Amino acid sequence: MFKEKTLSRAVRVMFAGAVGAGMFGQALAQESAQESAKPIARVEVTGSSIKRADVEGALPVQMVTAADIKRSGATNTAELLTTLTSNAMAGATNQAEGAGQSTYGMSSASLRGLGSSKTLVLVNGRRLGNYATDGTAVDVNAIPLASIDHVEVLKDGASGVYGSDAIGGVINFITRQNYQGVEATAYTSVSRYGGGQTHKASLLGGWGDFDSDRYNITLSADVSKDDAIFGRQRDYARNAWNNNGLRDASATPSGAYSTFDPSTTPNAMGVVPNSLNSIGTGIGHGLSQANCAANGSAWDANLGKCRFDSSPYVNLVPAAKRANIGGNFRFKLNDNAEFFMEGFVSRNETTQQAQASPYSASFLSTDPAFATNNQYPAIVVSPNSQYYPTALATAAGVNGQPLTVSYRAFDGGDRIAKDTAIASHLVLGFRGNVKGYDYDVAYTHNSSDVTERAIQGYQRQTELVKLLSNNPDFNPLVQYQSADLARKIYGTNYVGPVMNAVLRNDALNARISGDLVQLPAGMVKFAVGASMSDENLAINPSAAYQSGDVSGYGGAQLPLSASRNSSAVFAEAIVPIVKNLEADLAVRHDRYPNASATNPKVSLRWQPISQVLLRGSYGKGFREPSLPELMNQQTIGTSANLTDPVTGQFGQFNQTYGGNPKLQPEKSEQSSLGIVVDPVKGLSIAVDWWKINVNNLVTTLSPSFTLGQAAAGNPAYTGLVTRDSAGNITNIVGTNINAGSVKTEGVDLDLRWALLKSPTYGNFNLRLNGTYTSKYDLTLADGTVQRSVAATIDKDGNVLSAVSNGGIIFRWRDQLTLDWKYKKFGLALTNNFQSGYWDAARADADLPVAQHVGAFSTWDLQGTYGGIKNLTLTAGVKNLFNRKPTEVITGGSYFQTGYDPTWYDPHGQTGYVSATYQF
């Protein structure tokens, strides 16, 4: 067991978790006798409840230090997590990716690409509450960045300490504690091409020294404002298609006519209802290449017709305002006991803006208010209208019959919705030592309160259709109607609350640890603990949302109230087997109302010589589906853009979303092997292999995959697609299911090299963090295996389910940083690299041949100066060489086009400055 010394701690921090025992040995050799007499500093490291000397353990833990956080230039926690190569956007959500989709402003993490539901996010070792509208993941932007001291990332899953559901791993944010003084920081940035400017201010203050004054209060606060970026502000993202046939996407245009196919069979009351037998068959568009722009459309040379290009209107990055306050209070009751209180409150406001609402018989058919009103769910054009398309109707053989027409409500304004998320986290507890045993007892309260309001552009559909159907003044072939009709269209907008969701969690946790028994090789240390948790979810849609009559929100959403209790007990022991070989044994039992499981974890640490550390682990995991995954009401929304393999129709289709009470728990099995070597002074290399298998995977299928399998006649999928009598898609089932299993494995590399330490030239350090993923195989319920590393589609051109909700499983990602410090000056150059992958097939391809996207990297540069008393100045440039993204196809997974919002930041080349003053 190594003693924690001043130099060894400095080396550990500098090498951020990759330092092996050899560096500690070198540190010990250089320590003075006075230093060696200092007491051992025993700390709790993420992954274990047992305090021990702060040395490299049996599990791989990456530390992101305070210096690393400042060097990243991140202004929020989600941005900071993008620097972790083990964190993937596959299975996660960011605010940019969520444009036009119901993410309600959430940003989440996904270690190993296994999903945010399998990535445990903690603050000071305590669980946070999940986001109310999602229920499976933590909104990482709720965590105040100003209060974070460092981040510890346990890259080995199924923690017996924190929860068996930590299948992908654990991200533990450690906040500032025992801080004295006041520190103020101001930050501003500007993007080269406009939009996306960020302003931020933060304040950190601390009073009292815990050791000498018996108390400490540390408080932090920060506010920030991010401006939006729109597709029209970036040349690579302002068009939904290109005319060389590589990619092709669009949205519902105005002026697309279809046959009118009303019901003719009387209902049970003997009355023929004003309903549709089918949504009809398209007969063409009323405009040509010469006058496409008249209704806000553009000419698509690939298909030879007018189409609506939504890309200029879409948020690449939404506008956001954030404010939070965090605090930590410690009071020493006596030399062996303390009372502590910690927590934060955050308020994040995200404004999403997108193109005006579209209307067609397909979208309107899901609105139950039409049946209630005995009203046709379509905009009908009568034969005597001056805008009746006689030529198109004649060619289709329906001249003189009523038609339906698609429409985009430009006069209603762009769709603008505002999401306000208020999160709170509070911990009250006691900890200390009784007769040599450490204890910790705490109550934790978490709350997530999310509200969405429609601001503009969301019409009451029955009112709009009533206004426009058979209206002689309505011209579907122009973008904007007459002033009088435009005013009436805007008057159909619904403005007000759409939905409020509240998720609360209250928990009691207790644990005790200490020495158990002396063995020949050393002391056996143990920890035991227990927890009880109560979870409550309430989803309250507005009356308008419950009616299903608000455009853009799909079918009627019903209220939901659900709750459950859970409990867990765990035990852990560190057992020295022989000299320099020890085992960490843990077991955890979790109990839920409808499921329970006991899962073990075993890890070994062997240090045969001072320069080499070997480690390995094996464990099992268990995750009970969340309340929303089980209980969310099923509702109909719209898919992303895709092509129907049966009819060839391209666009958005109705899709059923929601929970599934029949879901089974996910179960996992994982293992790892690693080595840490210090071959020469100043150089440390850590290599860790990991493998994770997850069964009963809770997921949703890609709608394009479901359509492809159903079209091929696969019986497991044919029942998930509904069509009308004309063969048009009326619904795709996309609810939660247990979809087989996933197997993933790979290698992490962590290299730290102190290149030079010179009083003349300064100190140079090199750091490399990288993750190589060799396998990510998703097996679906019918046995289909999707090999998803560095790919987005299968051999048939269907979008892989692992990436259907965003994010690539990259073969290799790394971050390489060279930093230099000399007196009051500092400079850091960082390279962010990702390997290439196979994208979707060309839009004009006859066969689904995937297109290759090459490797991509950006450089960031940051300089600091601390030569002014109490003041530190920082200036930097992100994407130093202004790399624009590779043009990609993405398979219609996002509303952004031309690039992939999960791996490219549309801010592009961005300069920033910040100043920190310490009082």
Side-chain angles (χ1 to χ4, degrees):
M1 189 72 70
F2 290 97
K3 293 183 178 181
E4 171 73 348
K5 307 292 182 55
T6 302
L7 182 57
S8 68
R9 176 176 288 276
V11 172
R12 179 186 59 79
V13 172
M14 181 178 71
F15 287 137
V19 182
M23 291 304 297
F24 289 93
Q26 294 165 14
L28 286 172
Q30 297 171 9
E31 291 285 352
S32 66
Q34 181 179 0
E35 281 291 311
S36 63
K38 289 186 176 181
I40 296 175
R42 296 170 66 232
V43 298
E44 184 179 315
V45 179
T46 296
S48 175
S49 281
I50 300 174
K51 292 184 177 182
R52 58 186 297 171
D54 191 9
V55 298
E56 190 79 20
L59 300 176
V61 177
Q62 177 185 352
M63 180 181 290
V64 182
T65 67
D68 293 332
I69 295 172
K70 292 179 180 178
R71 193 181 298 116
S72 71
T75 60
N76 56 68
T77 311
E79 187 178 357
L80 172 65
L81 293 184
T82 63
T83 65
L84 301 177
T85 60
S86 57
N87 180 42
M89 278 312 303
T93 301
N94 65 23
Q95 290 184 327
E97 177 194 355
Q101 303 185 48
S102 297
T103 61
Y104 299 98
M106 185 181 72
S107 294
S108 60
S110 175
L111 292 176
R112 309 301 188 200
L114 289 173
S116 51
S117 65
K118 287 173 277 296
T119 299
L120 186 56
V121 178
L122 310 173
V123 170
N124 297 327
R126 314 281 178 181
R127 281 177 174 260
L128 295 181
N130 290 333
Y131 204 60
T133 56
D134 175 83
T136 66
V138 170
D139 178 24
V140 294
N141 276 334
I143 304 169
L145 186 64
S147 68
I148 298 173
D149 179 75
H150 65 277
V151 184
E152 297 176 358
V153 184
L154 173 62
K155 296 189 286 187
D156 188 90
S159 169
V161 176
Y162 306 112
S164 301
D165 56 345
I167 292 171
V170 179
I171 302 175
N172 190 8
F173 294 88
I174 309 300
T175 61
R176 300 278 191 99
Q177 299 185 30
N178 205 29
Y179 180 81
Q180 295 94 41
V182 178
E183 176 182 294
T185 300
Y187 173 102
T188 189
S189 71
V190 59
S191 172
R192 176 173 179 173
Y193 298 107
Q197 190 169 8
T198 296
H199 304 287
K200 181 176 181 179
S202 61
L203 189 66
L204 175 70
W207 298 269
D209 183 275
F210 181 74
D211 295 321
S212 60
D213 299 327
R214 298 171 62 95
Y215 79 94
N216 174 263
I217 301 174
T218 300
L219 299 175
S220 69
D222 60 29
V223 294
S224 65
K225 179 178 180 293
D226 299 341
D227 293 340
I229 301 176
F230 290 91
R232 56 183 173 270
Q233 295 177 290
R234 299 294 184 264
D235 57 1
Y236 52 81
R238 65 167 56 109
N239 295 312
W241 63 83
N242 58 12
N243 287 321
N244 65 11
L246 175 66
R247 56 186 176 85
D248 186 83
S250 71
T252 304
S254 290
Y257 291 94
S258 298
T259 59
F260 178 53
D261 185 16
S263 299
T264 58
T265 303
N267 58 23
M269 304 297 294
V271 177
V272 177
N274 289 334
S275 62
L276 298 180
N277 180 54
S278 75
I279 60 175
T281 302
I283 63 172
H285 197 281
L287 295 177
S288 63
Q289 182 176 4
N291 55 7
C292 261
N295 76 339
S297 296
W299 183 253
D300 186 339
N302 300 314
L303 300 181
K305 64 180 181 180
C306 291
R307 305 176 74 192
F308 175 65
D309 189 345
S310 61
S311 293
Y313 305 91
V314 172
N315 275 155
L316 305 186
V317 174
K321 296 179 181 178
R322 301 184 179 93
N324 52 63
I325 298 175
N328 183 291
F329 171 69
R330 299 175 64 191
F331 180 74
K332 185 180 292 188
L333 300 172
N334 54 50
D335 290 342
N336 293 312
E338 70 168 281
F339 168 77
F340 64 94
M341 179 171 63
E342 62 187 42
F344 61 81
V345 176
S346 69
R347 185 182 190 275
N348 293 333
E349 182 181 283
T350 306
T351 302
Q352 292 280 7
Q353 186 168 340
Q355 64 272 19
S357 292
Y359 294 93
S360 68
S362 175
F363 290 162
L364 294 170
S365 64
T366 64
D367 184 348
F370 283 98
T372 301
N373 295 353
N374 195 26
Q375 180 182 356
Y376 288 121
I379 300 174
V380 181
V381 179
S382 65
N384 59 4
S385 169
Q386 60 180 316
Y387 307 112
Y388 184 82
T390 302
L392 291 176
T394 301
V398 292
N399 188 33
Q401 300 178 18
L403 301 174
T404 68
V405 68
S406 65
Y407 170 62
R408 190 166 288 273
F410 290 99
D411 288 307
D414 285 353
R415 280 175 284 182
I416 302 175
K418 183 175 294 184
D419 297 305
T420 302
I422 299 174
S424 61
H425 173 69
L426 174 65
V427 181
L428 301 170
F430 297 88
R431 60 189 167 213
N433 185 279
V434 175
K435 296 184 178 180
Y437 295 100
D438 296 317
Y439 69 88
D440 185 307
V441 180
Y443 160 75
T444 303
H445 172 77
N446 289 299
S447 174
S448 172
D449 188 322
V450 183
T451 299
E452 178 160 296
R453 290 183 61 87
I455 307 301
Q456 177 186 277
Y458 296 91
Q459 291 82 42
R460 295 179 179 89
Q461 296 183 140
T462 53
E463 291 185 19
L464 182 75
V465 170
K466 182 179 180 180
L467 173 66
L468 300 182
S469 279
N470 298 310
N471 187 332
D473 297 325
F474 170 57
N475 182 358
L477 302 182
V478 296
Q479 185 171 5
Y480 298 102
Q481 304 298 314
S482 66
D484 180 62
L485 185 54
R487 177 181 56 80
K488 293 178 181 178
I489 291 171
Y490 195 85
T492 66
N493 280 350
Y494 169 74
V495 178
V498 175
M499 191 271 298
N500 171 254
V502 179
L503 181 61
R504 293 189 176 92
N505 186 285
D506 295 276
L508 284 174
N509 299 272
R511 61 186 177 187
I512 186 169
S513 63
D515 296 342
L516 184 61
V517 63
Q518 181 70 39
L519 296 180
M523 179 65 70
V524 176
K525 298 181 179 297
F526 81 99
V528 293
S531 66
M532 295 184 296
S533 178
D534 179 66
E535 187 177 11
N536 292 273
L537 172 67
I539 297 179
N540 299 299
S542 66
Y545 195 7
Q546 291 185 51
S547 73
D549 195 37
V550 179
S551 64
Y553 285 99
Q557 175 70 53
L558 300 178
L560 171 66
S561 178
S563 64
R564 69 180 176 191
N565 297 318
S566 61
S567 61
V569 293
F570 74 88
E572 180 187 6
I574 296 178
V575 181
I577 301 172
V578 296
K579 185 179 180 180
N580 298 327
L581 174 63
E582 67 179 27
D584 191 330
L585 311 175
V587 63
R588 183 182 180 93
H589 178 79
D590 293 276
R591 181 177 294 276
Y592 288 85
N594 298 314
S596 62
T598 301
N599 293 285
K601 184 69 175 283
V602 179
S603 54
L604 295 172
R605 178 187 184 276
W606 181 39
Q607 189 180 355
I609 59 175
S610 61
Q611 291 81 19
V612 177
L613 170 68
L614 301 174
R615 59 191 175 194
S617 70
Y618 172 83
K620 292 187 175 183
F622 161 88
R623 189 185 78 87
E624 172 73 353
S626 68
L627 283 176
E629 286 176 321
L630 292 165
M631 307 302 295
N632 261 355
Q633 300 287 346
Q634 295 186 2
T635 184
I636 297 177
T638 55
S639 71
N641 289 308
L642 50 89
T643 299
D644 179 359
V646 174
T647 65
Q649 181 182 358
F650 182 90
Q652 297 172 259
F653 301 94
N654 296 321
Q655 183 174 0
T656 299
Y657 299 90
N660 180 355
K662 297 182 180 180
L663 290 176
Q664 298 298 309
E666 295 177 326
K667 297 182 179 181
S668 69
E669 184 177 23
Q670 47 237 105
S671 53
S672 68
L673 290 172
I675 182 171
V676 185
V677 295
D678 302 331
V680 296
K681 182 179 180 180
L683 174 62
S684 179
I685 304 170
V687 180
D688 288 280
W689 168 85
W690 47 268
K691 180 179 180 180
I692 305 172
N693 297 337
V694 185
N695 295 313
N696 291 337
L697 189 69
V698 176
T699 187
T700 57
L701 297 177
S702 160
S704 66
F705 178 81
T706 300
L707 287 176
Q709 292 296 308
N714 189 328
Y717 302 91
T718 52
L720 302 179
V721 179
T722 305
R723 299 178 182 273
D724 63 19
S725 59
N728 300 299
I729 295 173
T730 57
N731 190 47
I732 306 168
V733 176
T735 55
N736 297 322
I737 61 171
N738 289 108
S741 64
V742 63
K743 297 181 179 180
T744 182
E745 65 179 282
V747 175
D748 290 325
L749 172 65
D750 194 344
L751 182 149
R752 311 290 167 128
W753 192 3
L755 292 170
L756 178 66
K757 184 176 182 180
S758 167
T760 304
Y761 302 106
N763 298 338
F764 292 84
N765 293 290
L766 184 71
R767 293 178 297 278
L768 173 66
N769 282 304
T771 297
Y772 179 86
T773 303
S774 58
K775 175 188 289 187
Y776 194 106
D777 292 352
L778 178 65
T779 301
L780 302 182
D782 67 341
T784 301
V785 179
Q786 296 183 336
R787 307 193 188 284
S788 306
V789 176
T792 65
I793 61 172
D794 63 15
K795 61 182 178 58
D796 298 317
N798 301 310
V799 177
L800 298 173
S801 293
V803 301
S804 63
N805 293 322
I808 309 299
I809 308 293
F810 289 104
R811 181 78 64 184
W812 170 258
R813 287 183 66 214
D814 73 64
Q815 185 178 72
L816 175 68
T817 299
L818 175 66
D819 73 78
W820 165 75
K821 292 182 180 179
Y822 179 69
K823 296 182 179 178
K824 302 298 183 180
F825 296 91
L827 198 65
L829 181 65
T830 300
N831 176 253
N832 308 286
F833 177 85
Q834 65 194 34
S835 58
Y837 63 94
W838 293 95
D839 197 13
R842 290 181 61 94
D844 59 359
D846 294 327
L847 297 175
V849 179
Q851 302 298 297
H852 190 258
V853 175
F856 189 85
S857 71
T858 59
W859 293 86
D860 302 332
L861 180 66
Q862 184 186 88
T864 59
Y865 175 68
I868 304 173
K869 184 179 179 180
N870 297 333
L871 179 67
T872 300
L873 301 175
T874 302
V877 180
K878 300 178 184 179
N879 196 348
L880 178 64
F881 300 110
N882 193 32
R883 285 292 307 275
K884 293 186 178 181
T886 306
E887 184 177 18
V888 295
I889 304 165
T890 75
S893 299
Y894 326 106
F895 281 85
Q896 297 95 330
T897 54
Y899 79 105
D900 191 320
T902 65
W903 62 258
Y904 183 81
D905 182 357
H907 286 85
Q909 189 181 68
T910 301
Y912 64 90
V913 294
S914 70
T916 299
Y917 188 81
Q918 293 180 320
F919 297 88

